[in-house]
């Protein structure tokens, strides 16, 4: 698929317009990634996106982009969202769904999508369902990445992120070629504020309370595939492709 990944429509919302040209809609996938914070959803989303041409849609990246562009004070809802995010709490459904409503063209894209971080609650999943139903689209699979808690904490502790192109590294298992600098765009890598130890515990708790119930929600529809997230990103990706099988 000759899809130019152009996430500005997703990251910035309107009036940014997507320039991507999906040329092989038959190949496209509509996937949702689930898994506790630190499990590696962002890394796998990037691999899946490169393989299937479907755009990587991360709600966390939307909030981080808003902060980076200095939009904290543009609305009380966004300010509240970024405060909650720093503490490791979930942003309210109301604000998340407002962000999604502004970006429904991304969800209706003929090139498909890899949703990373949305839905995170049952009400969010209901809205996604309703939207896809309206567009006459279906999800191909929901991939649940699974890893024991101690391993999750180690992964988050070593995570480094590019604030510009959002690439994700790990100091031990996926170091950048030049320490501290992004391989893709050269920007200085950072530790996300919500990767600090206090916020990490809050995030794990929020996942168990709000997002884990989605496993049952999607299992009932026979769309759920489980993937063991131990090992290198490449090993996990190979497992993902096997688990997806002919789901589409
Ligand atoms: P992520 O990059 O997916 O780990 O998201 C980072 C943070 O953004 C989360 O810890 C939440 O504070 C917020 N966030 C992202 N997506 C959602 C969502 N769908 N629902 C609620 N909060 C979200």
């Amino acid at each position: 698929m000759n899809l130019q990944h152009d996430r500005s429509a997703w990251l910035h919302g309107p009036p940014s317009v997507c320039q991507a040209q999906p040329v092989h809609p038959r190949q496209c996938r509509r996937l949702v990634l689930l898994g506790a914070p630190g499990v590696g959803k962002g890394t796998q989303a990037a691999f899946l996106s490169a393989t299937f041409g479907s755009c990587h849609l991360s709600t966390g990246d939307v909030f981080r982009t808003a902060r980076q562009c200095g939009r904290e004070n543009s609305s009380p809802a966004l300010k509240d969202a970024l405060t909650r995010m720093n503490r490791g709490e979930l942003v309210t459904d109301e604000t998340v769904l407002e962000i999604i409503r502004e970006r429904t063209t991304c969800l209706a894209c003929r090139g498909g999508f890899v949703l990373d971080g949305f839905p995170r609650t049952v009400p969010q999943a209901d809205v996604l369902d309703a939207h896809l139903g309206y567009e006459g689209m279906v999800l191909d699979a929901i991939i649940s990445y699974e890893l024991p808690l101690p391993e999750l904490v180690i992964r988050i502790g070593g995570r480094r992120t590019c604030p510009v192109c959002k690439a994700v590294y790990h100091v031990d298992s996926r170091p950048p070629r030049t320490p501290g600098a992004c391989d893709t765009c050269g920007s200085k890598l950072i530790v996300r504020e919500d990767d600090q130890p206090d916020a990490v515990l809050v995030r794990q708790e929020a996942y168990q309370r709000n997002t884990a119930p989605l496993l049952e929600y999607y299992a009932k529809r026979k769309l759920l595939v489980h993937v063991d997230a131990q090992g290198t990103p490449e090993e996990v990706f190979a497992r993902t492709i096997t688990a997806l099988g002919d789901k589409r």
Side-chain angles (χ1 to χ4, degrees):
M1 172 170 266
N2 178 22
L3 178 67
Q4 292 264 311
H5 290 287
D6 169 24
R7 294 206 301 158
S8 61
W10 176 258
L11 293 178
H12 298 282
S16 293
V17 176
C18 182
Q19 305 293 332
Q21 295 293 325
V23 290
H24 291 307
R26 261 189 312 121
Q27 254 192 15
C28 87
R29 295 288 194 288
R30 294 188 178 86
L31 303 171
V32 170
L33 309 193
L34 294 178
V39 78
K41 294 187 298 296
T43 303
Q44 295 304 315
F47 284 179
L48 287 161
S49 172
T51 302
F52 295 124
S54 307
C55 207
H56 172 190
L57 306 182
S58 153
T59 35
D61 281 349
V62 171
F63 293 125
R64 283 183 284 276
T65 301
R67 183 170 46 209
Q68 211 182 319
C69 296
R71 290 206 296 270
E72 273 102 330
N73 297 319
S74 64
S75 79
L78 189 54
K79 190 172 182 164
D80 174 67
L82 297 179
T83 305
R84 285 173 189 269
M85 180 170 155
N86 282 358
R87 290 200 293 245
E89 297 166 11
L90 289 194
V91 172
T92 62
D93 283 343
E94 196 187 0
T95 301
V96 171
L97 294 173
E98 179 62 32
I99 297 271
I100 294 294
R101 262 193 296 279
E102 289 173 356
R103 291 163 173 77
T104 47
T105 48
C106 294
L107 295 179
C109 180
R110 285 184 304 126
F113 52 72
V114 182
L115 275 172
D116 162 17
F118 177 84
R120 246 178 168 102
T121 64
V122 170
Q124 292 179 17
D126 284 338
V127 168
L128 176 63
D129 238 29
H131 173 74
L132 293 176
Y134 176 78
E135 295 289 344
M137 293 174 166
V138 289
L139 292 172
D140 295 305
I142 288 81
I143 308 172
S144 169
Y145 288 103
E146 286 154 18
L147 201 63
L149 182 60
E151 187 96 5
L152 289 168
V153 173
I154 291 171
R155 282 205 186 168
I156 292 189
R159 183 150 75 179
R160 300 293 179 271
T161 307
C162 174
V164 177
C165 72
K166 320 292 179 207
V168 180
Y169 301 87
H170 189 279
V171 287
D172 298 322
S173 60
R174 197 172 187 77
R177 283 193 295 272
T178 307
C182 178
D183 289 352
T184 311
C185 69
S187 304
K188 188 169 181 291
L189 300 179
I190 57 162
V191 177
R192 284 167 38 175
E193 280 185 56
D194 59 347
D195 279 351
Q196 307 292 346
D198 285 354
V200 165
L201 294 178
V202 178
R203 285 165 71 203
Q204 297 295 345
E205 217 244 320
Y207 178 78
Q208 290 307 331
R209 188 161 10 98
N210 301 290
T211 312
L214 288 180
L215 295 175
E216 204 183 324
Y217 181 98
Y218 285 122
K220 284 185 190 143
R221 298 161 194 220
K222 313 237 180 295
L223 286 174
L224 191 63
V225 296
H226 298 269
V227 174
D228 176 359
Q230 312 219 39
T232 65
E234 289 75 13
E235 285 165 351
V236 179
F237 184 59
R239 253 176 246 138
T240 303
I241 294 298
T242 304
L244 280 179
D246 57 3
K247 272 208 161 30
R248 60 157 307 128

